[in-house]
Amino acid sequence: LIKSGQELIALGPYVVLGVLASEALRYTPITRVLARAFARVPLVSVALAAVLGIVSPLCTYGTVPVVLELYGSGVPLAPLVTFLSASSLMNPQLLILTWGGIGPGMALVRLSAVLLFAVLLGVIVLGEPLDTFVVVGALMTFSAIFLVANGK
């Protein structure tokens, strides 16, 4: 319990930064600009979202409030999923840690893999409506609960 509290305190600044950033986005015209721009050229928006996710200093805990605000403002789902996955898997801090800890070769391989994964995920999401992901996610959740409940 103490360790959990320490982790919560350590992650607190990222959550606060993400909430502050999402609130700032709410009151600026940039969300409308992003929504229009990302809707115009979907493939470019996915690639741009992957790069923005990688250079974003926010981890998952800080990125989620920003993504939710942008989604509520009309930004398409594909670039948001791309941004969320890229920023969760790689950010400047992780790149520096990987570079220093494992070496530049592995850091560049990791960076390339994250970029490829995020863009592919975005392209997959481009072709499907949100309802598809909600239904599939719900079915997978119910299936997992059923299997656990039946001891399988």
Side-chain angles (χ1 to χ4, degrees), residues 30-49 70-71 73-80 126:
I30 194 165
T31 54
R32 289 185 298 278
V33 171
L34 284 173
R36 282 191 304 252
F38 281 175
R40 283 191 192 137
V41 188
L43 284 175
V44 173
S45 70
V46 165
L48 180 61
L70 291 172
Y71 183 70
S73 299
V75 175
L77 185 62
L80 293 178
L126 270 177

Side-chain angles (χ1 to χ4, degrees), residues 5-103:
Q6 291 170 339
E7 289 297 321
L8 186 61
I9 290 169
L11 294 174
Y14 294 105
V15 175
V16 169
L17 187 60
V19 170
L20 290 174
S22 70
E23 285 301 308
L25 286 172
R26 178 178 293 183
Y27 298 107
T28 61
I30 194 165
T31 54
R32 289 185 298 278
V33 171
L34 284 173
R36 282 191 304 252
F38 281 175
R40 283 191 192 137
V41 188
L43 284 175
V44 173
S45 70
V46 165
L48 180 61
V51 172
L52 289 174
I54 288 171
V55 300
S56 167
L58 295 175
C59 64
T60 304
Y61 305 104
T63 305
V64 169
V66 171
V67 167
L68 291 174
E69 179 60 39
L70 291 172
Y71 183 70
S73 299
V75 175
L77 185 62
L80 293 178
V81 169
T82 303
F83 176 78
L84 184 61
S85 64
S87 66
S88 298
L89 296 171
M90 179 62 73
N91 56 44
Q93 304 94 301
L94 288 173
L95 181 63
I96 291 168
L97 284 171
T98 305
W99 192 289
I102 304 175

